[in-house]
Amino acid sequence: MSVCSTPGIWLRQLMTSGNFALKILVVEDSKVAMASLCKTLRKMGIKQLFKAVQGQDALDIFRRDRPDIVLLDGLLPDIDGFEVARQMRAIDRTSV
């Protein structure tokens, strides 16, 4: 997986590849950042957005809905974002 400094670039590339039914999980405890990310994603045509403010909620959504992309804050109120990523990888090694 490559990391891009401008998320919009790789997301636009994915969307123009014909896969418009992306499921994206946004994990962010800042209300302002969450609103901004979700607004941008919706403008880009993403219809299936899942939101979590805490790490445990993110893990529950990940298990239940299997999002294609997870945008994960590193500092969360309950579980550190890096630990959330490790646990997601343990749940499904092919997606993280």
Side-chain angles (χ1 to χ4, degrees):
M1 169 168 46
S2 63
V3 176
C4 179
S5 61
T6 309
I9 292 173
W10 58 262
L11 194 53
R12 274 190 216 104
Q13 289 172 344
L14 276 174
M15 291 182 65
T16 57
S17 70
N19 186 7
F20 295 100
L22 290 174
K23 294 188 290 186
I24 299 180
L25 169 58
V26 180
V27 187
E28 175 59 68
D29 60 328
S30 163
K31 289 180 183 180
V32 173
M34 175 72 82
S36 177
L37 281 167
C38 290
K39 181 179 179 181
T40 300
L41 291 168
R42 288 196 196 287
K43 279 185 179 179
M44 295 176 77
I46 301 299
K47 296 189 180 13
Q48 294 188 65
L49 275 180
F50 301 93
K51 298 184 268 186
V53 175
Q54 297 193 29
Q56 187 58 55
D57 294 336
L59 290 168
D60 294 342
I61 292 168
F62 186 82
R63 280 185 196 95
R64 184 187 67 227
D65 297 301
R66 300 293 188 186
D68 300 302
I69 298 172
V70 177
L71 301 178
L72 178 61
D73 185 4
L75 300 172
L76 296 168
D78 61 341
I79 305 172
D80 162 303
F82 299 99
E83 179 59 27
V84 172
R86 280 189 283 278
Q87 289 186 35
M88 285 178 177
R89 184 165 177 90
I91 292 165
D92 185 349
R93 297 192 70 72
T94 62
S95 60
V96 179

